[in-house]
Amino acid sequence: MTATLARLPAADTLRVATSGSVDDGKSTLIGRLLFDSKSLLADQLATVQRDTARRGASGVDLALLTDGLTAEREQGITIDVAYRYFATARRRFILADTPGHEQYTRNMVTGASQADLAIILVDARSGILPQTKRHAALVALLRIPHVALAVNKMDLVDFDRGVFERVRDDFLALTASLGFEGVTSIPLSALEGDMVVDRGEHLGWYQGPTLLEFLESVTTERRVTGPWRFPVQLVSRSRYGARNESRGYLGRIENGAVEVGDEIRVWPSGVTARIAQIVTLDGSLDIAGAGRSVSLILDRQVDVARGDLLTHAKQAPVVTDRFAARLAWLSPTPLDTRRAYLVKHGTAVVKARIAGVDDRLDIQTLQPIAGPATLGANDIGRVRVETARALPLDRYAEVRATGSFLLIDEATNATVAAGLVEELAHG
Amino acid sequence: MTALSHLDALESEAIHILRETVAEVRNPAVLFSGGKDSIVLLRLAEKAFRPDRFPFPLLHIDTEHNFKEVIDFRDARAAELGETLIVRSVGDSIRSGRVHLRTPDESRNVHQSVTLLDAVQELGLDALFGGARRDEEKARAKERVISHRNAFGQWDPRNQRPELWSLYNARVAPGEHLRVFPISNWTELDVWQYIRREDLAVPSIYFAHKREVVERRGLLVPVTPLTPPRAGEKIRNLNVRFRTVGDITCTCPVASDAATVDQIIAETAVSTLTERGATRLDDQTSEASMELRKKEGYF
């Protein structure tokens, strides 16, 4: 039964995103992680062996495990995020293997936006590349709580300690201005397996954790603390039990917790009520915390619709139609300040205009440059947003769920930018 | 306040996705085949919408090559839920000339795409919920939770919408539609653990039973009128169960004595073969067979 227990998922799940430049070896690293942690099954391994041989190589090309699209295999690059699931005795993992190529930055952001931890991979020979900087900036922007700097291909620099330390110091110096809370740097060889799961024999001078040890031991951020935030998804038409005039407000608790009896407020209207019942199909709850999808019943008839936000009466968001935000521009079509866009914030969708661009991040120096005319593909910049109606906002740094939004092009329905609220102007 | 268990977290995420899509589209349907993943999907729909009726019908694209146990289960489950079941048949597509078979006995699995896209058009659907999981297959691993399909029903894996935080962009232009996968982040083991926790019924062929099979290319092929033994193949009567229940012509059972959900969970946890690797003839034809089918509109 030991094997069974080892593969039965542990209680908590860590979401991990990999990032780094093309050819730094991300796909190989993930393959190595799966291979050495015995998370690969026999037929997957056989398929990779067969595909490796078909390409005229010998052994196992671990990158072929995750590069699942034809174009990726043809070009040997990762185009879109591949999600992998594995578990050790200590933890379950959702790995988002994201592309390094600049053209596919939007897919890297997709993989990273839900991550608890980012692995930033660097080739020990080439050190910090422009795309490493871009990814570091995005990881910092998204405030991913944990960062592992994986200095890969140590086998190609004779496992030299000085090379590792130089890359690590360069990275820390460069990213000092980005506000990372902590970076754990690990030298490794994804190809040969040193310091990924097993310690290997070549990096005796390194005393820190292997990559897997680090992944298994970091504490995950919970959104159960902080103000209660409940975007209303739908209003149920049915009657709930004896209080048969009550409607149910369906949604997921995005932050904090709520208890029966709590005084709450509906935004943007500002009206108040009390929580009468917290309902699920499995019965009513007295208290419910972040991440749980529920139906809420209030003690009185108030006007609540999809797009509204429920909060505790005393933990108000800022309700405003003008605010400053950081945008990660994801579309090949540049920002056009003359056009209207749609902002999707929580469950609300409103028309919006970008009134001006304040600055754009210089990817070489990771410093903002003031006064650009616009933002183009893969740019990160600060803008001023005006919305057609006031939104209940928090700063992204304080509450991720109510501080983030999508910018959608109304003509094409494309998601053109990820938005993070930075500064709130009243009224 | 303790954190949610992993099954609670997966359940809650799926409910959120179901509700979010329903709120944003006009005319969705949920694909229900009677298989374990779509059984879980319907349970999640109950969790998301009861006591209301489902805000969508159930839709099954029937190849007419399905196991009788599964079709009977499908009909019984739809009736038990009191929800509308719409069935569209690949056989009808063949009879009306929309699908041409090269040989009368070839697998109809791939041809489901035509019938499915015709149904999308006929019923004016703009979103289809499916029970696909990213752990099933490497092209599935690349799939968004809400995946856009163009006016030809095609997936463009090189140009997927960014999917940020849990903010979903479910907007579609007329003629286009979405494929929505609320259980993207579930594994085969999660599905069985959820079936146990929720005490969900599944078709009997998921449990070990005696069946006539032949061994072919390392797989156990069930002996049926659609899949007769070939010359020289020896028929054996083995204890088997199905890990996946698709089209008869491409779905294989595995040798097993697991007769209960608990035994299936124990077996799944130590299996050295993936669900599809052990069971599907059609995925093995090329490195990219699933990707190619998905580009053509397969789910």
Side-chain angles (χ1 to χ4, degrees):
Chain A
M1 283 301 282
T2 317
T4 309
L5 289 175
R7 287 201 48 220
L8 279 176
D12 78 330
T13 301
L14 189 77
R15 288 179 182 249
V16 181
T18 60
S19 62
S21 198
V22 185
D23 289 334
D24 283 354
K26 288 188 305 297
S27 299
T28 307
L29 178 66
I30 290 193
R32 173 60 65 190
L33 203 50
L34 298 172
F35 187 72
D36 284 1
S37 65
K38 313 277 187 286
S39 305
L40 274 188
L41 300 184
D43 58 312
Q44 292 172 317
L45 193 57
T47 304
V48 174
Q49 277 164 339
R50 193 188 65 205
D51 295 347
T52 306
R54 200 176 280 171
R55 284 170 171 69
S58 60
V60 180
D61 180 353
L62 291 170
L64 293 177
L65 272 172
T66 51
D67 286 342
L69 300 174
T70 313
E72 295 178 322
R73 289 161 162 253
E74 283 167 3
Q75 298 172 53
I77 62 166
T78 305
I79 291 171
D80 208 338
V81 191
Y83 294 90
R84 296 283 144 184
Y85 302 82
F86 79 104
T88 66
R90 297 180 64 180
R91 185 167 258 174
R92 306 172 83 239
F93 297 96
I94 300 177
L95 273 178
D97 178 22
T98 73
H101 210 278
E102 179 175 342
Q103 189 185 347
Y104 301 110
T105 300
R106 63 180 185 278
N107 300 333
M108 180 271 171
V109 180
T110 289
S113 68
Q114 296 208 9
D116 304 304
L117 183 144
I119 301 172
I120 299 180
L121 204 68
V122 175
D123 182 332
R125 297 170 303 171
S126 39
I128 315 294
L129 296 171
Q131 196 63 351
T132 321
K133 296 177 191 172
R134 192 186 304 279
H135 285 175
L138 288 165
V139 165
L141 181 74
L142 293 166
R143 291 183 169 261
I144 299 176
H146 304 278
V147 176
L149 174 70
V151 181
N152 189 29
K153 305 198 184 182
M154 288 299 293
D155 51 308
L156 298 179
V157 295
D158 297 325
F159 297 98
D160 186 275
R161 181 175 191 160
V163 174
F164 165 70
E165 289 177 347
R166 205 153 50 239
V167 173
R168 178 195 66 193
D169 294 348
D170 285 353
F171 183 84
L172 294 177
L174 183 82
T175 56
S177 62
L178 293 177
F180 284 125
E181 283 175 27
V183 177
T184 299
S185 302
I186 305 171
L188 52 86
S189 166
L191 193 67
E192 299 197 6
D194 296 88
M195 288 304 160
V196 179
V197 173
D198 306 314
R199 300 196 70 82
E201 294 167 4
H202 302 103
L203 290 162
W205 46 263
Y206 168 77
Q207 302 302 315
T210 66
L211 182 62
L212 184 64
E213 285 166 359
F214 179 61
L215 298 182
E216 284 186 317
S217 61
V218 297
T219 50
T220 48
E221 185 196 39
R222 299 289 177 207
R223 299 163 297 158
V224 290
T225 55
W228 178 62
R229 296 292 183 255
F230 186 84
V232 175
Q233 289 189 283
L234 287 164
V235 179
S236 169
R237 289 180 295 271
S238 286
R239 311 290 186 220
Y240 281 82
R243 317 182 62 88
N244 66 1
E245 74 280 16
S246 312
R247 281 167 298 182
Y249 302 111
L250 280 53
R252 184 170 66 167
I253 299 171
E254 296 294 344
N255 201 79
V258 71
E259 225 176 317
V260 172
D262 283 353
E263 189 185 17
I264 63 107
R265 206 181 279 277
V266 182
W267 303 98
S269 71
V271 301
T272 60
R274 281 186 189 280
I275 301 285
Q277 255 185 291
I278 305 169
V279 181
T280 74
L281 191 70
D282 302 302
S284 292
L285 304 169
D286 297 329
I287 181 166
R292 198 177 274 280
S293 290
V294 295
S295 305
L296 297 178
I297 295 167
L298 305 182
D299 70 337
R300 71 199 77 157
Q301 285 285 12
V302 291
D303 184 13
V304 181
R306 172 172 170 83
D308 288 350
L309 180 74
L310 307 188
T311 75
H312 281 132
K314 291 191 171 69
Q315 292 176 329
V318 174
V319 182
T320 178
D321 58 5
R322 281 153 196 266
F323 57 94
R326 192 70 54 179
L327 292 185
W329 195 262
L330 305 170
S331 166
T333 310
L335 165 66
D336 186 342
T337 50
R338 297 165 304 178
R339 288 186 56 197
Y341 291 94
L342 296 171
V343 159
K344 182 166 188 189
H345 172 258
T347 55
V349 178
V350 299
K351 285 219 188 216
R353 198 170 24 236
I354 306 301
V357 184
D358 293 336
D359 65 42
R360 179 176 63 79
L361 198 70
D362 180 322
I363 286 303
Q364 285 307 323
T365 62
L366 296 181
Q367 299 299 317
I369 304 170
T374 185
L375 296 175
N378 308 317
D379 281 343
I380 300 169
R382 188 175 139 113
V383 300
R384 277 161 284 127
V385 187
E386 294 178 5
T387 52
R389 75 172 173 84
L391 293 170
L393 301 170
D394 292 294
R395 294 179 61 239
Y396 183 82
E398 277 138 33
V399 187
R400 197 181 273 211
T402 37
S404 58
F405 61 91
L406 303 182
L407 206 61
I408 296 169
D409 183 324
E410 208 179 3
T412 63
N413 290 328
T415 301
V416 292
L420 303 94
V421 177
E422 278 200 347
E423 208 177 295
L424 300 158
H426 292 265
Chain B
M1 210 65 267
T2 54
L4 298 182
S5 76
H6 92 271
L7 281 184
D8 283 339
L10 289 172
E11 176 190 77
S12 189
E13 178 181 63
I15 294 170
H16 179 254
I17 293 161
L18 282 158
R19 289 172 171 175
E20 205 53 21
T21 309
V22 160
E24 296 227 331
V25 303
R26 286 174 299 105
N27 194 16
V30 59
L31 293 168
F32 179 55
S33 64
K36 65 182 186 308
D37 300 316
S38 58
I39 290 168
V40 164
L41 201 52
L42 290 191
R43 180 59 167 174
L44 293 163
E46 287 184 89
K47 300 252 183 173
F49 301 112
R50 293 291 188 232
D52 289 0
R53 282 200 68 191
F54 290 175
F56 37 65
L58 320 185
L59 173 63
H60 184 222
I61 305 303
D62 187 351
T63 59
E64 297 178 356
H65 286 174
N66 286 298
F67 292 96
K68 182 178 184 304
E69 295 90 336
V70 180
I71 295 303
D72 289 347
F73 181 92
R74 175 198 75 186
D75 294 342
R77 185 70 185 131
E80 186 187 10
L81 286 166
E83 300 291 347
T84 308
L85 172 69
I86 300 170
V87 178
R88 290 293 177 268
S89 161
V90 178
D92 287 339
S93 300
I94 295 167
R95 287 183 282 277
S96 71
R98 290 280 294 136
V99 166
H100 285 275
L101 300 179
R102 266 164 306 181
T103 57
D105 62 343
E106 81 173 285
S107 170
R108 293 179 173 188
N109 191 41
V110 60
H111 299 297
Q112 288 179 86
S113 303
V114 174
T115 314
L116 177 67
L117 293 177
D118 285 352
V120 166
Q121 198 162 41
E122 176 208 337
L123 302 167
L125 302 174
D126 56 358
L128 286 171
F129 291 104
R133 311 184 322 264
R134 286 170 176 156
D135 85 320
E136 284 178 77
E137 202 275 338
K138 57 184 180 287
R140 293 254 196 247
K142 297 271 171 181
E143 182 81 76
R144 293 283 187 270
V145 169
I146 294 187
S147 185
H148 180 260
R149 295 292 191 275
N150 68 16
F152 294 91
Q154 291 173 309
W155 183 54
D156 181 0
R158 302 187 74 153
N159 193 26
Q160 302 197 72
R161 283 179 183 168
E163 206 155 82
L164 304 152
W165 302 288
S166 27
L167 291 171
Y168 298 104
N169 174 359
R171 299 175 68 83
V172 271
E176 302 173 347
H177 71 280
L178 302 172
R179 302 289 172 86
V180 184
F181 305 105
I183 63 168
S184 285
N185 286 324
W186 298 45
T187 64
E188 183 187 14
L189 194 54
D190 295 327
V191 165
W192 281 113
Q193 289 183 312
Y194 194 72
I195 286 169
R196 174 173 64 184
R197 187 180 94 171
E198 299 294 316
D199 198 16
L200 300 178
V202 297
S204 58
I205 64 172
Y206 278 114
F207 301 107
H209 56 285
K210 284 272 186 225
R211 183 178 288 268
E212 289 192 336
V213 295
V214 295
E215 283 179 45
R216 190 180 300 162
R217 285 193 281 157
L219 297 171
L220 299 177
V221 177
V223 175
T224 71
L226 293 167
T227 51
R230 294 176 185 166
E233 287 178 335
K234 186 166 154 276
I235 297 176
R236 299 168 66 194
N237 198 19
L238 289 186
N239 230 15
V240 298
R241 69 176 172 91
F242 286 86
R243 281 172 76 178
T244 168
V245 292
D247 191 87
I248 288 178
T249 59
C250 61
T251 308
C252 299
V254 294
S256 170
D257 295 320
T260 66
V261 173
D262 276 330
Q263 287 165 355
I264 290 173
I265 288 171
E267 225 174 67
T268 306
V270 295
S271 171
T272 60
L273 290 177
T274 62
E275 180 179 331
R276 287 193 169 255
T279 59
R280 296 298 285 253
L281 287 166
D282 54 336
D283 290 338
Q284 301 187 356
T285 45
S286 86
E287 282 184 345
S289 42
M290 173 68 87
E291 180 187 353
L292 292 174
R293 277 181 286 147
K294 277 160 58 68
K295 282 180 178 168
E296 294 307 314
Y298 193 78
F299 44 90

